[in-house]
Amino acid sequence: ERVEMIQTLFPVLDGLGEALESGKRLLEDGSPALHLPLRQRLRLALRALAGKTTCPGQVSARAVAAWLEGLGLVQERLLEVLATEGVRPIETKGRPFDPHWHLAVEAVPATGGIEPHTIVAQTRRGYALGDRALRCAEVVVARAPSQVSNSEAREISA
């Protein structure tokens, strides 16, 4: 069935998303020279190629950035293909929790003006086809400060 084939693509999209996030973290934690102008980064790369210096982290950061851009394009293309079939990602962050579209995997206290039962983060993207959830989005939901889970109640009373 067509829906089953579409659903087999979701783990592929998950993997692409995880690779993109991991790569972005790598770049953020990387060398401060990432912010150097392209000309200076190229000069450093040429010096490394000429054997005048060791290969700097900036060169690998540039390669990672290009790789991430390619992965992002693949992810966009897959989402476009799904959209032509009527499949769309389920909206999450900042939306009210709806058990028809969302699966709560964690609850955190509502802070900073966030209303209880509002989605504050997405842990796994969900997808819908028309008014049907093909895979519910896994989300973190804000709860009222007075709503204390059983495990938290045990910790408090201990």
Side-chain angles (χ1 to χ4, degrees):
E1 182 177 309
R2 194 172 202 130
V3 169
E4 289 172 1
M5 191 282 301
I6 288 171
Q7 289 173 317
T8 63
L9 293 176
F10 298 157
V12 174
L13 283 163
D14 292 342
L16 282 170
E18 290 168 15
L20 285 165
E21 288 304 313
S22 176
K24 287 175 187 172
R25 282 191 305 274
L26 178 68
L27 285 176
E28 288 169 2
D29 296 342
S31 170
L34 287 174
H35 303 292
L36 288 175
L38 177 60
R39 184 193 216 154
Q40 284 179 289
R41 290 188 306 206
L42 287 173
R43 187 177 301 128
L44 288 169
L46 289 172
R47 287 178 55 103
L49 289 173
K52 294 183 179 176
T53 182
T54 58
C55 186
Q58 300 87 319
V59 175
S60 62
R62 193 167 142 243
V64 169
W67 176 71
L68 288 174
E69 186 176 339
L71 283 181
L73 293 172
V74 171
Q75 183 184 47
E76 284 178 33
R77 183 66 187 122
L78 277 171
L79 289 170
E80 288 170 6
V81 169
L82 290 175
T84 63
E85 295 295 321
V87 177
R88 62 177 172 75
I90 294 173
E91 298 291 328
T92 58
K93 196 166 181 187
R95 304 273 183 165
F97 176 79
D98 181 339
H100 294 100
W101 302 106
H102 310 121
L103 174 64
V105 295
E106 186 178 351
V108 296
T111 59
I114 296 174
E115 293 291 320
H117 309 292
T118 300
I119 297 170
V120 296
Q122 173 179 274
T123 59
R124 189 170 86 158
R125 184 182 265 179
Y127 297 91
L129 178 62
D131 60 353
R132 174 181 167 201
L134 296 178
R135 180 174 83 177
C136 288
E138 294 181 8
V139 297
V140 178
V141 181
R143 61 171 165 72
S146 62
Q147 294 176 320
V148 177
S149 71
N150 290 337
S151 62
E152 288 174 323
R154 282 193 296 268
E155 288 175 15
I156 294 170
S157 64

